[in-house]
Amino acid sequence: MTEQQKTPYDLPDASGLSIGILGGTGDQGKGLARRFALAGHRVTIGSRKAERAQEAAAGLAAEQGADLPVSGAENPVAAGESDVVIVAVPWEGHKATLESLRAELAGKIVIDCVNPLGFEKGKGAFALPVEEGSAAEQAAAVLTGSRVVAAFHHVSAKLLLDPSVAEMELDVLVLGDDREATDLVQALAGRIPGMRGVYGGRLHNAHQVEAFTANLISINRRYKAHAGLRVTDV
Ligand SMILES: NC(=O)c1ccc[n+]([C@@H]2O[C@H](COP(=O)([O-])OP(=O)(O)OC[C@H]3O[C@@H](n4cnc5c(N)ncnc54)[C@H](OP(=O)(O)O)[C@@H]3O)[C@@H](O)[C@H]2O)c1
């Protein structure tokens, strides 16, 4: 008899998790904040300046015309008061931001969606070399007391923020060395309508997932699209 195929749907309940977002005032962080708040999660947008975070949260609530469960605070507060923390700062500020938040992030699941990319005229986007192997592995090296998971690299901020897009049709590759943590992050991805979290390997494999964003950017430029991935046969 064939063994029943395992599916990426046997996952824990992530509905009660609160989410903090470092660099949540940018398009990517704000877009994720918007979708997770719409899914009922309490979200804290983080920023280097509390006022910027509060403004971003107020902007989302005003646009939604409802009481979205979203607020704004400085990054350390967003990190400290949330169950799960997403890192959505630019690559340039990645290491220093995480080094400054080791205590607040200790014991937590930290989701890294940072793509270390360069851009050059005539070359387009390309992956930058990273000493630790990838942004996610750099996060794990800095945050030895946290459970680092890599996810949401290929999610278009434009679509996350677009109120006319009800469902985000894509698979989110979730990578990490801790099964419980990757399961929970897969479940979190599934909280956004249309999205599915699919396990994509250990953190050691995060580099090519981050780098593949450069290919997606090329696809987007050629076809004027906001391309995402779908994994077949799972
Ligand atoms: N944009 C996308 O479609 C997309 C998709 C997938 C993944 N990503 C990844 O998500 C991350 C954020 O992307 P984004 O487009 O939202 O970036 P962004 O707008 O350039 O930056 C996000 C926020 O990070 C803060 N920030 C800027 N420089 C910083 C520094 N040196 N140190 C600490 N914080 C800093 C700023 O917030 P405050 O000034 O308020 O602190 C800014 O609003 C990037 O690493 C990117 O690779 C982006």
Side-chain angles (χ1 to χ4, degrees), residues 163-176:
S164 72
V165 176
E167 301 212 344
M168 299 273 307
E169 283 295 336
L170 85 158
D171 286 335
V172 169
L173 293 181
V174 177
L175 295 90

Side-chain angles (χ1 to χ4, degrees), residues 66-88:
D67 262 351
L68 264 197
V70 60
S71 60
E74 280 182 33
N75 284 326
V77 177
E81 70 178 19
S82 307
D83 299 322
V84 171
V85 180
I86 299 176
V87 187

Side-chain angles (χ1 to χ4, degrees), residues 22-32 45-50 52-53 75 87-94 96-97 112-117 135 151-160 213:
L22 309 178
T25 54
D27 281 353
Q28 178 71 352
K30 198 158 55 172
L32 288 169
I45 289 180
S47 165
R48 290 168 296 179
K49 285 259 178 252
R52 273 208 291 274
N75 284 326
V87 187
V89 298
W91 169 237
E92 302 73 58
H94 185 254
T97 301
D112 204 296
C113 72
V114 171
N115 295 311
L117 296 179
F152 300 108
H153 306 87
H154 305 149
V155 179
S156 155
K158 269 229 157 53
L159 297 185
L160 287 169
T213 307

Side-chain angles (χ1 to χ4, degrees), residues 47-67:
S47 165
R48 290 168 296 179
K49 285 259 178 252
E51 311 81 67
R52 273 208 291 274
Q54 285 151 5
E55 239 173 70
L60 286 180
E63 176 206 274
Q64 215 41 49
D67 262 351

Side-chain angles (χ1 to χ4, degrees), residues 4 18 20 24 52-53 145 147 163 172 202 208 211 231 234:
Q4 197 185 347
S18 61
R52 273 208 291 274
R147 295 194 280 170
V172 169
R202 296 198 168 235
Q208 58 269 28
V231 177
V234 287

Side-chain angles (χ1 to χ4, degrees), residues 123-125 213-224:
K123 263 194 184 170
T213 307
N215 301 78
L216 283 175
I217 290 170
S218 305
I219 293 169
N220 290 341
R221 287 195 172 161
R222 172 69 53 96
Y223 300 107
K224 306 270 174 277

